[in-house]
């Protein structure tokens, strides 16, 4: 059985209580914390940068970080985030002048490299990069804001990427981000995803413990 990841996106968290928000979702079974970095340039929104992550780490909270760079300056940001010992750094092909060099830069710091693909972005960018990737992130909404509706046509793209991974016998995490809820987890599993970035469905729920348990149960039942 593949390893499946529940990855809360703190874009939907309560920023005034961010440390405790992260502690709680980790306590109740989250596998990674998704850190959405937006520069109000590549996407029309501005979120947080390495200083926030450094502060959280310095406070003593222990968690693995899945950094998603939605910025136009990925090569300058990568070293700064890598110093915080993050697990994954993922970038968009449109934001790199030289994709292969950016992947090499991420790996030079001992981090795992991911490539993020927007709903309308061609999969051609994977042709010469997939053998070097640790994670492929399929965006199921257009990046920039939380609480968007899942774009169902992206399911076909997930299937294509899963087939590509399996055809080449690669150990790559296939992650999906955007509009993920309990109601569509099964569709994503069927399409071949094994990592789920979930924002409002978790952070807007009454009980982090209950919602994460319910999501985990859906995943487990799928393979009975």
């Amino acid at each position: 059985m593949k390893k499946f990841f529940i990855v809360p996106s703190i874009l939907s968290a309560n920023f005034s209580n961010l440390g405790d928000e992260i502690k709680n979702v980790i306590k109740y079974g989250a596998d990674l914390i998704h850190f959405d970095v937006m520069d109000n340039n590549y996407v029309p929104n501005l979120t947080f940068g390495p200083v926030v992550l450094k502060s959280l780490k310095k406070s003593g909270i222990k968690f693995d970080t899945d950094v998603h760079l939605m910025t136009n300056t990925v090569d300058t940001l990568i070293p700064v985030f890598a110093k915080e010992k993050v697990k994954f750094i993922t970038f968009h092909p449109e934001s790199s002048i030289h994709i292969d060099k950016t992947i090499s830069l991420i790996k030079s710091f001992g981090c795992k490299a991911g490539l993020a693909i927007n709903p309308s972005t061609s999969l051609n960018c994977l042709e010469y990069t997939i053998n070097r990737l640790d994670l492929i992130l399929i965006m199921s909404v257009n990046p920039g804001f939380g609480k968007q509706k899942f774009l169902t046509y992206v399911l076909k793209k997930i299937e294509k990427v899963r087939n590509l991974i399996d055809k080449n016998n690669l150990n790559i995490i296939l992650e999906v981000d955007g509009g993920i809820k309990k109601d569509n987890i099964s569709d994503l599993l069927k399409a071949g995803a094994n990592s789920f970035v979930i924002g409002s469905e978790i952070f807007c729920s009454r009980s982090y413990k209950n919602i994460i348990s319910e999501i985990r149960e859906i995943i487990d039942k799928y393979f009975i």
Side-chain angles (χ1 to χ4, degrees), residues 141-154:
V141 299
N142 287 300
F145 296 93
K147 298 182 180 180
Q148 295 188 63
K149 186 177 179 180
F150 180 86
L151 298 172
T152 56
Y153 69 82
V154 173

Side-chain angles (χ1 to χ4, degrees), residues 80-123:
V80 186
F81 275 106
K83 287 179 182 178
E84 302 307 319
K85 301 186 184 303
V86 303
K87 191 161 189 175
F88 295 94
I89 299 179
T90 300
F91 66 100
H92 290 255
E94 301 92 343
S95 64
S96 171
I97 295 174
H98 194 309
I99 296 173
D100 188 63
K101 285 185 178 179
T102 299
I103 293 172
S104 294
L105 179 62
I106 293 170
K107 288 180 174 289
S108 73
F109 290 100
C111 302
K112 295 183 182 296
L115 198 63
I117 300 174
N118 288 332
S120 61
T121 298
S122 170
L123 295 177

Side-chain angles (χ1 to χ4, degrees), residues 2 4 155 158 162 176 184-196 215-223:
K2 301 184 183 75
F4 293 87
L155 288 168
I158 298 169
R162 169 49 63 196
V176 184
N184 57 22
I185 288 282
S186 293
D187 292 333
L188 295 172
L189 287 163
K190 184 178 180 181
N194 64 336
S195 185
F196 311 96
I215 293 168
R216 187 74 67 185
E217 185 177 352
I218 291 170
I219 293 171
D220 291 342
K221 282 185 175 179
Y222 185 81
F223 292 96

Side-chain angles (χ1 to χ4, degrees), residues 15 19 61 65 104 121 131 152 177 185-186 199 212:
F15 286 5
I61 306 172
T65 316
S104 294
T121 298
N131 289 314
T152 56
D177 181 3
I185 288 282
S186 293
I212 293 173

Side-chain angles (χ1 to χ4, degrees), residues 5-8 26 30-34 64-66 87-88 175:
F5 301 89
I6 295 174
V7 190
I26 292 294
D31 299 297
L32 296 162
I33 295 298
H34 196 75
D64 287 327
T65 316
D66 177 21
K87 191 161 189 175
F88 295 94
E175 190 167 79

